[in-house]
Every structure is written in C-alpha cells, then in structure tokens.
Amino acid sequence: MRLVVAVTGASGSIYAKNFLEAAKSHGIETHLIVTEAGKTVVRHELGDVEQITALADFTYEPQDLEAPLASGSFRVDGMVIVPATMKTVAALAHGYNSNLVTRAADVHLKERRPLVVVPRETPLHAVHLENMARLSRLGAVILPAMPGFYHHPESVDDLASFISGKILDQLAVPNKLYRRWGEP
Ligand SMILES: Cc1cc2nc3c(=O)[nH]c(=O)nc-3n(C[C@H](O)[C@H](O)[C@H](O)COP(=O)(O)O)c2cc1C
C-alpha cells in the first residue's frame, strides 16, 4: 500500500510520529509532506523535524507543486492529514489548492480516493464545523484527534496509537494498535 501523509501546523505532532511508525510497521510506503507551520510545531513539540521525516519513505516540500503527488495520474491508495489545521481544512473545503498538501488532498477528493483528515483544534466555531461538514459530504473521513479511554490507555503513546489504529481501520489495514471493545 502507498499512502500520502501530510503533517500540518496543528498541535499533536505525536499523532503524526505515531502514525508514521505504525505505517512503517505495517509495510505501508509513505510519501510525506510537512507544511512550514507543521515544521514549526514539530520542532516545538518534538524538538526536530527529522523525528518525522526519518520515518517516511519519500518526503516533499509543501511548495513543490510539480511533485508526482500533485497529479491524479500518480497511483496512491489514500491520503491522511495528521494533524490537520483549521486553515488546511478550510482550504480543502473550498478547493483552494495553494500548496502540495491541499493539491494532493484535492486530487484524492476528485479521484474519489480515501482521504482521512485528523483535525485538531478546540473549541470549534461554526465555520470550522461547516468546513468539516463540507469535507465529509465530499467523501473525506473526518477523524478528530479525540482518543477514547475505554481501552485504558497508560501512556501518551497509547492515546496516539488509538488514533493511528482508527486511521488504519478507515484504510482497511488490519491492525492491533488499540484494544477493541469486546475483544480481550
Ligand atoms: C505551537 C502552535 C500550535 C498550533 N496549534 C494549532 C492547532 O491545534 N490547530 C490549528 O488549527 N492551528 C494551530 N496553529 C496555527 C497554525 O499553525 C496556522 O494556522 C498555520 O497557518 C497553519 O498552516 P498549515 O495548515 O499550512 O500548516 C498552531 C500554531 C502554533 C505555532
């Protein structure tokens, strides 16, 4: 499986790191884009952008609109934006393809390929909610960074793994990243 993974400038770089680790351990080829704001937040939260980029198979600069990912003819199985800012959500909801993240995601929407968006913001105002509803109607999966607690997480990584498992569930990748309700 080949996935596009985008990291934008929302808090929650740990979700991106955990997801890239999960993708790697599940044999998924990852094509990574980190926005400029994403790099700022990753540096702030994890100390070093390489913590993220070293986990990907391929990386692209967000302004590189000539990258293969910018075209629907490049074959990929899906895209995950983790974490997703309200700015990127707004751009996507309105077809405003100003960087490689929004262009690649727009390609997924137009080609009807899986697109999983993991927004992180709180509280949310009506425009945030309306933009997410628009994206959902377009076929994107809105999977907020809202880990559950019924699996008794013991660490921050357990919380992040819950989200990674939910993302892989959406992409039909069998995984045991979190303990499922009703299973031992
Ligand atoms: C430390 C830090 C944390 C941020 N957290 C969030 C957040 O959780 N959600 C959000 O929507 N924006 C957040 N922002 C603001 C975005 O980074 C900003 O809107 C940026 O323009 C987003 O650009 P991008 O979507 O191209 O990455 C944060 C900014 C900083 C510096």
Side-chain angles (χ1 to χ4, degrees):
M1 172 180 259
R2 178 187 273 175
L3 278 187
V4 181
V5 179
V7 177
T8 65
S11 186
S13 309
I14 182 100
Y15 291 116
K17 185 169 188 236
N18 186 288
F19 180 71
L20 284 162
E21 285 167 349
K24 204 178 188 56
S25 69
H26 287 76
I28 297 169
E29 180 183 297
T30 50
H31 292 250
L32 175 70
I33 317 156
V34 186
T35 64
E36 293 308 324
K39 291 175 191 170
T40 301
V41 177
V42 170
R43 278 189 205 104
H44 188 71
E45 295 186 344
L46 301 178
D48 184 350
V49 182
E50 282 214 351
Q51 297 264 340
I52 297 281
T53 52
L55 293 165
D57 294 297
F58 300 89
T59 56
Y60 306 84
E61 287 305 316
Q63 65 275 15
D64 182 8
L65 285 162
E66 284 180 289
L69 313 184
S71 170
S73 63
F74 185 68
R75 303 183 82 90
V76 285
D77 300 299
M79 175 165 177
V80 179
I81 308 180
V82 58
T85 64
M86 292 303 107
K87 177 194 148 189
T88 291
V89 166
L92 273 179
H94 295 271
Y96 187 71
N97 303 333
S98 60
N99 65 22
L100 187 58
V101 171
T102 45
R103 171 60 189 168
D106 199 65
V107 165
H108 278 71
L109 293 174
K110 80 183 176 72
E111 302 290 342
R112 305 287 193 260
R113 292 181 191 148
L115 172 65
V116 181
V117 179
V118 183
R120 213 300 324 171
E121 186 51 279
T122 196
L124 298 163
H125 61 56
V127 171
H128 298 150
L129 295 165
E130 283 161 10
N131 285 338
M132 285 191 266
R134 281 174 75 106
L135 277 186
S136 177
R137 284 194 292 272
L138 284 168
V141 172
I142 305 296
L143 197 153
M146 285 180 186
F149 290 85
Y150 57 85
H151 62 306
H152 300 297
E154 289 176 1
S155 65
V156 175
D157 260 337
D158 285 351
L159 293 171
S161 290
F162 179 91
I163 298 299
S164 296
K166 287 285 190 172
I167 296 170
L168 290 183
D169 286 352
Q170 288 301 320
L171 298 166
V173 176
N175 71 86
K176 293 188 172 177
L177 289 170
Y178 65 101
R179 193 148 60 86
R180 294 166 195 276
W181 185 247
E183 288 182 11

